[in-house]
Amino acid sequence: SQTIHQWPATLVQPVGSPLSLECTVEGTSNPNLYWYRQAAGRGLQLLFYSVGIGQISSEVPQNLSASRPQDRQFILSSKKLLLSDSGFYLCAWSVIIWEIPHYEQYFGPGTRLTVT
Amino acid sequence: GQNIDQPTEMTATEGAIVQINCTYQTSGFNGLFWYQQHAGEAPTFLSYNVLDGLEEKGRFSSFLSRSKGYSYLLLKELQMKDSASYLCAVSLYTGGFKTIFGAGTRLFVKA
């Protein structure tokens, strides 16, 4: 079965400090991978998605970046955090169901980031 | 633009039935998801509809009308553990698959 890991679970960082969040998926190959952010009381905002190694699509202009150095590894980074970067960061992977072409998306446990 | 609307909060009584509505305006529609999210946790998949009609799965059912841009999630025999946020999300295909989410409906189940 497939599992998705994220770490750390919680993080408190000062404004202006760098950020690195890691996500890894087990039990599947060549997954589509996603980074979402959920601000307090808000919906999920898609930040980045990747269909393969080195292939990153950005959905929202911001001071964050993403990388996919390996097939099942997805990293979210920032050089200098802003207060507005606080939120719940979720990594997700998707599988395509070809019988009725669509995909199902499964989420990791998330990282709660507080920028102080 | 892409837009998904759902009520912010709902309250219902244990054992009752509740219907959570979702309306959407999107392009490249490829189906609609419902997710459940307990406070502080990641969303978990509940249902997927791509064709019009009702899909039943135990106590939960989901309905879709593509012509009206409308869906609802029906929860029967409510239990206290059903207190959570319910996220309506639309699957889009615009050269690649992606999902956009509504802000979620917080459901409070009272005894």
Side-chain angles (χ1 to χ4, degrees):
Chain A
S1 64
Q2 298 86 0
T3 56
I4 181 167
H5 303 280
Q6 277 186 255
W7 62 93
T10 59
L11 190 60
V12 180
Q13 291 283 99
V15 168
S17 64
L19 173 73
S20 181
L21 302 181
E22 190 161 342
C23 168
T24 59
V25 181
E26 295 178 359
T28 185
S29 59
N30 198 31
N32 287 352
L33 296 173
Y34 307 82
W35 278 111
Y36 288 89
R37 177 171 60 200
Q38 187 175 37
R42 304 281 298 274
L44 288 168
Q45 179 187 35
L46 178 63
L47 301 175
F48 300 95
Y49 69 94
S50 171
V51 298
I53 296 174
Q55 300 179 65
I56 308 294
S57 295
S58 174
E59 290 297 302
V60 183
Q62 59 223 324
N63 68 319
L64 300 172
S65 62
S67 62
R68 187 167 176 176
Q70 299 180 41
D71 181 45
R72 287 171 283 180
Q73 184 185 30
F74 204 22
I75 298 171
L76 182 69
S77 303
S78 174
K79 293 182 180 178
K80 288 186 177 182
L81 284 169
L82 307 172
L83 283 174
S84 57
D85 291 325
S86 293
F88 191 37
Y89 287 81
L90 290 156
C91 180
W93 72 278
S94 66
V95 57
I96 296 176
I97 309 296
W98 289 108
E99 287 76 12
I100 301 174
H102 76 278
Y103 72 98
E104 293 183 357
Q105 196 167 61
Y106 298 92
F107 289 86
T111 294
R112 191 162 301 281
L113 171 67
T114 303
V115 182
T116 60
Chain B
Q2 319 280 18
N3 192 52
I4 299 175
D5 289 311
Q6 51 183 133
T8 304
E9 288 185 1
M10 299 182 71
T11 300
T13 304
E14 193 175 17
I17 299 173
V18 70
Q19 177 174 313
I20 303 174
N21 296 323
C22 171
T23 58
Y24 62 91
Q25 292 127 7
T26 62
S27 56
F29 179 84
N30 188 54
L32 188 141
F33 294 100
W34 283 97
Y35 286 85
Q36 180 190 60
Q37 185 177 26
H38 285 100
E41 298 181 7
T44 55
F45 171 82
L46 288 178
S47 68
Y48 171 80
N49 294 66
V50 67
L51 301 175
D52 290 352
L54 188 67
E55 296 276 345
E56 298 187 70
K57 194 183 291 186
R59 293 191 298 116
F60 293 6
S61 303
S62 55
F63 171 85
L64 176 67
S65 169
R66 289 171 296 171
S67 62
K68 295 181 180 178
Y70 169 69
S71 172
Y72 67 73
L73 180 69
L74 193 70
L75 292 76
K76 303 176 186 176
E77 302 169 13
L78 278 173
Q79 302 174 9
M80 300 299 287
K81 67 179 182 179
D82 296 329
S83 293
S85 288
Y86 291 85
L87 310 180
C88 174
V90 174
S91 172
L92 303 176
Y93 185 77
T94 53
F97 286 107
K98 64 180 182 180
T99 308
I100 58 170
F101 285 79
T105 298
R106 290 187 67 189
L107 174 66
F108 298 93
V109 179
K110 58 182 183 179

